[in-house]
Amino acid sequence: MSARPSNRAPDEMRRVSLERGVARYAEGSCLVKFGETHVIVTASVEERAPAWLRGSGKGWVTAEYSMLPRATHERTRREVTSGKPSGRTQEIQRLIGRSLRSVVDLRALNERQVTVDCDVIQADGGTRTASITGAWVALHDCFQWMLSRQMIPVNPMKENVAAISCGIFGGVPVLDLDYAEDSKAETDANFVMTGSGGIVEVQGTAEGAPFSEDELMGMLSLAKQGVAKLVDLQKMAVA
């Protein structure tokens, strides 16, 4: 077994913090930190649903994701200069949107849309999992803002959702990969799970040799522990 670059135990997460109310104008916001990965998340209400939902009585929750140019070791070109988001960006923002919608009663929103913007300030692995975890807090506060103004009769949030990365590093399943690990891991995976333990999405990729069913179960076990801790932190943040 080789030691993790961070010297963390296999089941040890980075230090996580969730700071609410960081954006003055947004209906809900959160600055989420997973170690050196920092993401600012805002939730914004629009008084209209997408055209394809008009007349349905249902609302919508969608997400957008981007990285600031110097979130990375070297400057990354802004995607706006190329005219369209990259495949990676599209995949991540769809994942964030699906994850949030899995715990929201869209009918309770009526015909409104909430857009959740996740902007990576600093990237050190796990930006999509940090985004999802912080997005739940921003969306929670957005719904509370709407409730306080009688815009909605009930809270559309059904339960918590959070996400964590796992991987196989040095032949051992490990939790919450930073960039140094992620770039050298034999396998990396992302798990999105609800507060009640439901699985929303699993993304797993072998970077070299295929991983075994036992290794997958090992990562799932770590992910369950990690998400349970994240859900506790979310509950403490909004208490």
Side-chain angles (χ1 to χ4, degrees):
M1 172 185 170
S2 64
R4 303 181 73 173
S6 61
N7 292 317
R8 286 181 282 143
D11 64 349
E12 188 182 345
M13 287 162 51
R14 292 174 285 181
R15 186 169 178 275
V16 175
S17 69
L18 297 161
E19 184 186 347
R20 297 160 70 197
V22 292
R24 179 177 181 178
Y25 303 112
E27 284 79 47
S29 62
C30 178
L31 173 62
V32 52
K33 297 182 180 180
F34 277 41
E36 293 301 322
T37 288
H38 303 169
V39 185
I40 190 162
V41 187
T42 58
S44 307
V45 184
E46 289 177 74
E47 277 295 336
R48 62 182 194 279
W52 51 272
L53 274 176
R54 279 187 203 135
S56 69
K58 277 172 73 175
W60 196 244
V61 175
T62 189
E64 293 188 11
Y65 166 97
S66 74
M67 289 173 71
L68 294 184
R70 277 318 295 266
T72 45
H73 289 278
E74 292 175 4
R75 186 180 186 275
T76 308
R77 192 175 162 205
R78 288 183 197 270
E79 291 184 343
V80 69
T81 59
S82 62
K84 65 179 198 297
S86 68
R88 175 184 178 271
T89 293
Q90 290 186 55
E91 177 206 343
I92 291 173
Q93 54 194 26
R94 285 174 184 152
L95 170 67
I96 298 165
R98 283 195 302 272
S99 301
L100 296 171
R101 288 192 299 273
S102 74
V103 295
V104 172
D105 174 6
L106 296 172
R107 289 208 170 275
L109 276 175
N110 207 339
E111 292 190 22
R112 293 187 184 88
Q113 175 164 288
V114 178
T115 301
V116 176
D117 288 291
C118 303
D119 290 284
V120 180
I121 303 169
Q122 185 170 282
D124 185 35
T127 61
R128 72 188 72 190
T129 53
S131 294
I132 291 164
T133 304
W136 183 90
V137 175
L139 191 58
H140 168 280
D141 284 1
C142 177
F143 290 161
Q144 292 300 317
W145 183 91
M146 294 170 79
L147 281 163
S148 71
R149 284 156 182 77
Q150 284 87 47
M151 292 169 71
I152 46 176
V154 293
N155 190 348
M157 194 73 86
K158 295 186 284 192
E159 62 172 324
N160 292 66
V161 69
I164 196 76
S165 64
C166 295
I168 307 293
F169 186 84
V172 178
V174 294
L175 183 65
D176 189 24
L177 283 70
D178 55 28
Y179 182 76
E181 254 172 351
D182 194 23
S183 56
K184 293 189 172 73
E186 297 102 86
T187 296
D188 64 77
N190 297 299
F191 294 84
V192 185
M193 303 172 84
T194 66
S196 59
I199 296 171
V200 177
E201 190 140 349
V202 179
Q203 302 177 331
T205 308
E207 300 293 349
F211 55 94
S212 68
E213 187 177 337
D214 285 349
E215 286 173 326
L216 176 60
M217 290 300 112
M219 290 190 289
L220 176 61
S221 176
L222 286 175
K224 280 181 172 173
Q225 293 173 43
V227 168
K229 286 179 188 163
L230 293 172
V231 166
D232 284 344
L233 289 170
Q234 286 174 334
K235 288 177 177 173
M236 284 160 57
V238 302

